[in-house]
Amino acid sequence: MMFGQDSFSDRREAGRQLAAALAHFRDANPLILALPRGGVPVAFEVAKSLAAPLDLLLVRKIGAPGHEELGIGAVVDGRNPQLVLNWEVVDMVAPPPGYIAAEQKRQLAEIERRRLLYRSEQPAADTIGRTVIVVDDGIATGGTVKAALRGVRQSRPRRLILAVPVAPQDSLDEVAAECDEVVCLLTPDPFYAVGAYYADFAQTTDGEVIRLLKEAQQMSHS
C-alpha cells in the first residue's frame, strides 16, 4: 500500500501520516513495536492515533569472527528472544564451535541493558496471537528490519505488518516475504538516504525514547 508525497518535516509528522495510513488496523487492537531509537517518535504517533500499546523491538547483529561488520545473524528481543541466522553467510564464514552461542549471550545481555535503560523492569510485550505493527523511521538496505520481522514472526503473531514512512522499493520487495503487509508512504527513485526525506532528522536521544515510552504507557492505561 503506497501513498504519494515528497518529504516529512520530522519523525513525529511522519508518524501522524503513517497513522492515517494504518487507521484500518485500529479495531484489531494492534501492538506497535518501534525500532529504537529513530523509530520511536514515529511509532509513538501511530500508537497514539490507534489507541494501541507501544513497545520496543531491540535487535542486535551478530558479526563474523574478526569482521563484526559482516552480519551472520541477529538476536531479536521479545518475550522469548529469537536468534535469526543467515545460513548462507554462516556456511561461508564457518565460525568456530561455541562462537554463535557466546555471541548470542553477549548480545542478549546488551539487549537487556538497553531494555532496562528504556523500560526499567517492564518485560517485553507478548506478541502471540496479536496483530503486530513494526515501525521504523525508514529503511535503507533492510537488513536489520528483515531480521526483526523474522524474529517477531517466530513469536507467532496473528498478523505482522511493517510500517515505515520512506524506503526504496527494492528494499521493500526484499522484506515483503517476512510479513503479511507492508505500508510505506514514500518510495523515491533514486533513493539517497532515509534522512534526505526529513527536514529535521536530528538523532533521537535516549531521553526522548524514555519520555515517549512513559507517555505511551500512561495513555494506554488511561
Side-chain angles (χ1 to χ4, degrees):
M1 189 183 302
M2 306 298 168
F3 304 81
Q5 60 183 72
D6 296 319
S7 63
F8 312 99
S9 59
D10 57 19
R11 291 180 179 88
R12 299 286 289 268
E13 192 239 340
R16 288 190 288 273
Q17 293 198 33
L18 196 58
L22 294 164
H24 58 293
F25 288 110
R26 184 184 176 104
D27 292 341
N29 186 31
L31 169 65
I32 313 302
L33 294 181
L35 285 162
R37 290 178 291 192
V40 175
V42 182
F44 173 83
E45 296 295 334
V46 173
K48 181 179 177 182
S49 178
L50 272 56
L54 173 65
D55 200 1
L56 298 178
L57 181 54
L58 295 160
V59 183
R60 294 290 298 174
K61 181 172 71 175
I62 294 179
H67 300 279
E68 290 195 356
E69 72 285 353
L70 177 61
I72 63 174
V75 179
V76 183
D77 187 27
R79 189 64 63 95
N80 297 295
Q82 302 292 334
L83 174 64
V84 179
L85 293 175
N86 184 333
W87 284 107
E88 186 177 328
V89 181
V90 171
D91 291 342
M92 179 182 71
V93 170
Y99 175 82
I100 290 175
E103 278 297 293
Q104 179 182 10
K105 184 177 179 180
R106 189 167 74 90
Q107 297 305 340
L108 278 171
E110 176 60 18
I111 283 175
E112 184 61 22
R113 186 192 72 80
R114 293 188 178 206
R115 176 163 286 281
L116 285 170
L117 170 66
Y118 292 139
R119 266 293 171 90
S120 188
E121 299 294 332
Q122 187 167 332
D126 193 357
T127 61
I128 295 176
R130 297 199 68 166
T131 294
V132 176
I133 303 177
V134 173
V135 178
D136 203 356
D137 56 7
I139 298 174
T141 62
T144 300
V145 167
K146 180 188 278 192
L149 291 170
R150 199 167 287 178
V152 175
R153 176 71 84 188
Q154 290 177 20
S155 296
R156 305 199 305 279
R158 186 177 69 85
R159 190 164 172 76
L160 181 58
I161 295 93
L162 171 66
V164 291
V166 58
Q169 187 60 54
D170 57 350
S171 292
L172 294 179
D173 294 342
E174 184 79 13
V175 302
E178 308 296 339
C179 56
D180 298 304
E181 185 173 340
V182 175
V183 177
C184 183
L185 304 177
L186 181 62
T187 54
D189 184 19
F191 180 88
Y192 298 105
V194 172
Y197 306 98
Y198 287 85
D200 177 2
F201 198 63
Q203 188 176 65
T204 304
T205 65
D206 286 338
E208 186 177 1
V209 170
I210 292 165
R211 178 177 60 79
L212 290 175
L213 287 172
K214 285 182 178 176
E215 195 174 330
Q217 189 175 13
Q218 289 167 356
M219 285 190 304
S220 67
H221 290 311
S222 62

